[in-house]
Amino acid sequence: MGLTHTELRNKYKKFWEDRGHKEIPGAPLALTSGDSTTLFTSSGMQQLVSYLLGEEHPLGDKLFDIQPSIRTQDIEEVGDNRHTTFFEMMGNWSLGAYFKKDQLENFYMFLTNTKIGLGLDPHKLFVTVFEGDKKFKALSSPDTESQQIWTDIFTKAGIDVNKPKRIYAYPASKNWWSRGGLPAQMPVGEPGGPDSEVFYDFGENLKLHEQSVFKDEPCHPNCDCGRFLEIGNSVFMQYKKTNETTFEELPKKNVDFGGGLERILAATNDDPDIFKTDVFNKVMHSIEHNSGKKYDATTQIPMRIIADHLRAATFLIKEGVRPSNKEQGYVLRRLLRRAAIQLRDLGVDYKGAAAPDICHAVMETYPTHFVEGNNKTISDVIKDEVSKFAKTIEKGIHALNKLSAVSGKDAFDLYQSYGFPLEIIEELVVKKGLYIDKAQFYAEFEKHKNLSRTSSAGMFKGGLADNSEQVLKYHTATHLLHQALFDVLGADVKQEGSNITGERLRFDFSASHKPSPEEMKKVEEIINQKINDKLPMRFKIMPKSDAEKIGARSFFKEKYPDMVKVYYIGGDDDKPETAYSKEFCGGPHVTNTGTIGTLSIFKTEKIGSNMYRVYAK
Ligand code: SER
């Protein structure tokens, strides 16, 4: 039996603390709607973008954490041995402190050392490096440096890197990482870099390759047969895209490492099924108990889906997400409804205590994430949603069973009248052995746009669309707007969210009265005065309590660490207390308001009781 998840967490923490790293507070899993361009935190680096681009981090240049994350794009893969929507990403970062050699040597030591690490057998590790991308001059060379570092590491351990071949070079599709995907797809301003992945080999004995659809092709680390499992990715965040054809070096060469906690546990188990690791133990027991069935080849697919989806749902509800028809709420609804269908398939009375009971097992698994009191709310939300769905589920399945062919329109009606998530309809239709006209199905869907916006391409964290110059200008202008609203409307102005694109900025706030056109004119005048004054934009890292004392504005929906970064506009050097605007913020910003150009407020609207939204460009 491998490690428990608590043992793994403790080892990880000690390992990086012993190497001078500071633990950063986790980012929220569900990002605040309106303040963000993506729905969920999907990797540890997401909260660190501005620091990877060169800003100074309040906790220093060596960081680590274990970040709860959600990736909904994999939802249909859930059911195999290794895919989940929710996972925890173990991360470590160097903001210019060290680079390839230290990172690869340290991660190898963590994996293989029997005392301070996990004691994995180094013969089971295979690694990959970037082969270069000829489309971009700066990226055209293969990463021979990492290739050599790995050769030295294995050779020192007495392992021949050629028998069998242990180091593989792949193109950007496999060994390049950025939030926006491949170099060619990345928006201008986005950081990215080549990466080096480590795979754990579960061996030929399990015959995973022979039994897979890939059996006629040679097996290799990136083959999807399941024999090799990626357990860690060291990204060398070294470049920034500066225009459509060019990449330039960032001010610092950074490391961004991420490895799935569940997958690393599976490697310590020497069993490729992540659902058999300790972190799923209680949850699987609860599913077995509630269904009266054992986890085996006949039940594993529904049980894995139930385990993953209810785990994700439990975390989302804890963070305040509630089932609804849009954004995060819709993702939660899909997770709960998909789990209900699978419970039903297993013969469980899905309307009863089963789902809340399984979620309870999730909470027991993570005592540091769930405190007393979470419990009842989470159960109530689940019970309510599942019983609502139960009212239509039988009717929907009955309606579907009556059809002998399913048109796109039929499928859409099932979605709309019975609340079946799209992919469930597809799964049920396929199960019946029926054909479904997918193109028509999606066309119908497109017509009704009130859908979940998933965390797909182009939607990034932090309210910033990218780090282009225009976005930085609007970001600094947002700070001016925030302060000017205070000046004109009074001290009860509270930021509710913001969103910036290359075309405009948007700012939501609450205030005790509706701003008049004259007041908004005044706000605009103040902002343009501050722009004309060409004030410097600077930041200072300070204790949170000091920042609060000098009246720096914070965003009440966000958790801040003990040391914070405060951006201030104007005032004396190193004296944010003398500045016009002071705000808790990670950046990035322009360095002088003079570069912003004239700002015009082109729309103010009421979006709720005492809530207003302004647009400016
Ligand atoms: N950002 C990288 C990833 O998500 C490594 O942390 O894989």
Side-chain angles (χ1 to χ4, degrees):
M1 184 65 192
L3 294 181
T4 67
H5 70 107
T6 309
E7 284 164 347
L8 176 57
R9 287 176 209 278
N10 292 343
K11 278 193 177 251
Y12 195 68
K13 185 173 161 73
K14 174 140 185 21
F15 185 87
W16 289 112
E17 279 177 352
D18 285 352
R19 281 155 190 77
H21 287 59
K22 291 274 178 339
E23 183 166 7
I24 50 173
L29 178 61
L31 299 168
T32 317
S33 181
D35 186 50
S36 150
T37 42
T38 177
L39 298 179
F40 302 108
T41 288
S42 63
S43 68
M45 65 76 80
Q46 220 164 304
Q47 61 163 322
L48 295 173
V49 175
S50 56
Y51 307 106
L52 293 164
L53 285 165
E55 304 275 334
E56 207 175 314
H57 194 283
L59 295 178
D61 56 8
K62 297 198 275 291
L63 309 168
F64 78 98
D65 73 3
I66 301 181
Q67 172 68 52
S69 307
I70 284 201
R71 290 190 182 172
T72 46
Q73 56 271 41
D74 286 344
I75 197 162
E76 275 145 80
E77 311 274 347
V78 181
D80 70 8
N81 64 326
R82 61 192 181 283
H83 282 97
T84 53
T85 54
F86 173 91
F87 64 103
E88 286 182 272
M89 185 175 266
M90 306 175 77
N92 75 270
W93 293 272
S94 151
L95 303 173
Y98 54 85
F99 203 45
K100 295 181 180 176
K101 187 167 185 312
D102 288 337
Q103 172 59 25
L104 299 179
E105 286 180 353
N106 272 328
F107 184 47
Y108 177 84
M109 190 182 331
F110 180 69
L111 291 177
T112 57
N113 190 285
T114 48
K115 286 202 192 73
I116 57 172
L118 310 180
L120 297 180
D121 176 358
H123 293 90
K124 299 212 164 223
L125 303 181
F126 288 75
V127 302
T128 67
V129 297
F130 182 52
E131 72 172 27
D133 185 347
K134 295 268 183 291
K135 288 203 245 5
F136 299 91
K137 198 163 159 254
L139 316 179
S140 59
S141 311
D143 185 0
T144 48
E145 190 184 343
S146 297
Q147 170 100 25
Q148 189 57 51
I149 296 166
W150 280 123
T151 306
D152 294 345
I153 290 173
F154 283 116
T155 309
K156 223 159 131 195
I159 295 173
D160 184 339
V161 294
N162 296 312
K163 284 195 231 124
K165 179 169 163 156
R166 206 161 279 279
I167 308 169
Y168 288 74
Y170 290 99
S173 57
K174 299 287 180 202
N175 281 79
W176 174 270
W177 202 89
S178 81
R179 293 181 304 170
L182 291 171
Q185 297 162 343
M186 290 166 59
V188 169
E190 186 64 17
D195 64 36
S196 177
E197 299 185 322
V198 175
F199 288 78
Y200 186 85
D201 177 12
F202 290 98
E204 283 166 304
N205 292 348
L206 297 174
K207 304 216 176 312
L208 291 167
H209 190 71
E210 290 91 311
Q211 292 161 9
S212 78
V213 294
F214 306 98
K215 61 178 185 300
D216 299 328
E217 296 156 31
C219 189
H220 59 110
N222 268 311
C223 171
D224 267 330
C225 70
R227 171 179 160 183
F228 292 96
L229 185 67
E230 185 221 315
I231 55 171
N233 183 15
S234 299
V235 183
F236 305 118
M237 278 284 176
Q238 179 184 358
Y239 298 105
K240 172 169 150 174
K241 191 161 179 179
T242 46
N243 64 52
E244 277 318 311
T245 53
T246 322
F247 279 82
E248 277 173 18
E249 294 264 348
L250 286 168
K252 289 175 189 157
K253 292 182 183 210
N254 310 293
V255 174
D256 158 33
F257 169 82
L261 174 133
E262 295 82 353
R263 290 177 169 208
I264 293 178
L265 276 180
T268 73
N269 245 358
D270 201 24
D271 183 323
D273 187 350
I274 64 163
F275 295 91
K276 287 191 189 152
T277 62
D278 163 74
V279 80
F280 278 109
N281 217 346
K282 288 194 166 77
V283 178
M284 280 303 182
H285 271 133
S286 173
I287 298 174
E288 288 184 327
H289 175 76
N290 276 286
S291 64
K293 295 193 168 117
K294 281 259 150 269
Y295 178 70
D296 63 21
T298 61
T299 58
Q300 67 187 18
I301 294 178
M303 287 195 181
R304 287 166 176 171
I305 297 174
I306 294 163
D308 169 67
H309 288 10
L310 291 183
R311 184 171 69 144
T314 308
F315 272 87
L316 287 177
I317 299 169
K318 183 199 73 169
E319 290 217 358
V321 179
R322 295 293 175 265
S324 78
N325 281 334
K326 57 184 223 278
E327 301 187 337
Q328 290 138 333
Y330 183 61
V331 173
L332 173 60
R333 172 159 282 169
R334 273 164 75 200
L335 290 165
L336 288 172
R337 293 186 171 193
R338 285 173 58 95
I341 296 248
Q342 298 299 336
L343 282 167
R344 182 183 176 279
D345 256 17
L346 274 182
V348 178
D349 173 17
Y350 62 93
K351 300 182 272 290
D357 201 44
I358 297 162
C359 293
H360 189 73
V362 173
M363 292 182 252
E364 278 187 341
T365 305
Y366 300 93
T368 52
H369 291 79
F370 294 88
V371 288
E372 202 80 36
N374 284 151
N375 205 330
K376 178 149 169 22
T377 316
I378 295 176
S379 295
D380 287 352
V381 171
I382 290 169
K383 254 193 238 146
D384 187 52
E385 177 65 11
V386 173
S387 64
K388 258 195 226 147
F389 186 44
K391 292 208 180 84
T392 53
I393 197 170
E394 304 302 333
K395 277 196 230 152
I397 289 178
H398 186 69
L400 182 68
N401 282 339
K402 282 205 305 222
L403 299 172
S404 52
V406 185
S407 70
K409 175 90 177 59
D410 293 333
F412 185 75
D413 287 346
L414 281 167
Y415 163 77
Q416 204 171 38
S417 322
Y418 302 106
F420 282 32
L422 203 58
E423 68 281 352
I424 291 187
I425 300 168
E426 227 182 312
E427 280 163 20
L428 293 173
V429 168
V430 171
K431 233 182 185 170
K432 269 168 61 85
L434 287 182
Y435 167 77
I436 185 161
D437 184 340
K438 266 200 173 175
Q440 200 192 9
F441 182 104
Y442 286 114
E444 198 65 35
F445 216 68
E446 275 297 299
K447 283 196 215 150
H448 300 74
K449 271 290 186 189
N450 186 23
L451 280 181
S452 131
R453 282 165 56 226
T454 61
S455 53
S456 56
M459 301 170 71
F460 295 143
K461 181 178 156 42
L464 298 187
D466 56 51
N467 286 302
S468 65
E469 193 59 21
Q470 186 54 54
V471 167
L472 302 196
K473 287 178 188 170
Y474 283 145
H475 190 195
T476 308
T478 305
H479 283 216
L480 287 174
L481 170 65
H482 194 176
Q483 182 58 38
L485 285 168
F486 257 77
D487 296 351
V488 175
L489 302 176
D492 50 10
V493 164
K494 202 153 99 187
Q495 176 179 358
E496 297 285 343
S498 72
N499 174 284
I500 295 169
T501 69
E503 278 78 50
R504 52 100 183 117
L505 69 86
R506 194 180 81 195
F507 188 80
D508 295 346
F509 63 97
S510 52
S512 55
H513 70 279
K514 184 172 177 6
S516 67
E518 294 71 39
E519 282 173 323
M520 290 315 287
K521 201 80 239 126
K522 183 92 197 99
V523 168
E524 191 183 87
E525 273 165 28
I526 296 177
I527 298 170
N528 285 311
Q529 185 57 51
K530 300 295 171 192
I531 293 174
N532 283 338
D533 291 347
K534 299 193 176 37
L535 302 172
M537 174 59 141
R538 292 175 284 213
F539 69 83
K540 188 171 178 180
I541 290 167
M542 56 170 85
K544 183 159 77 178
S545 52
D546 288 359
E548 280 161 354
K549 241 178 263 152
I550 63 164
R553 314 234 171 276
S554 58
F555 184 42
F556 71 103
K557 291 179 185 167
E558 186 137 349
K559 275 190 290 184
Y560 293 96
D562 293 340
M563 291 296 287
V564 296
K565 193 164 176 180
V566 172
Y567 267 92
Y568 58 103
I569 301 175
D572 298 330
D573 196 14
D574 211 33
K575 287 207 176 64
E577 60 277 21
T578 62
Y580 171 65
S581 138
K582 336 172 228 308
E583 222 176 279
F584 287 51
C585 178
H589 284 280
V590 294
T591 51
N592 192 293
T593 59
T595 62
I596 298 174
T598 312
L599 195 84
S600 105
I601 294 179
F602 63 94
K603 190 170 174 189
T604 305
E605 61 186 5
K606 187 168 158 70
I607 53 168
S609 110
N610 296 327
M611 294 256 280
Y612 305 95
R613 170 169 285 180
V614 293
Y615 291 88
K617 62 182 177 192

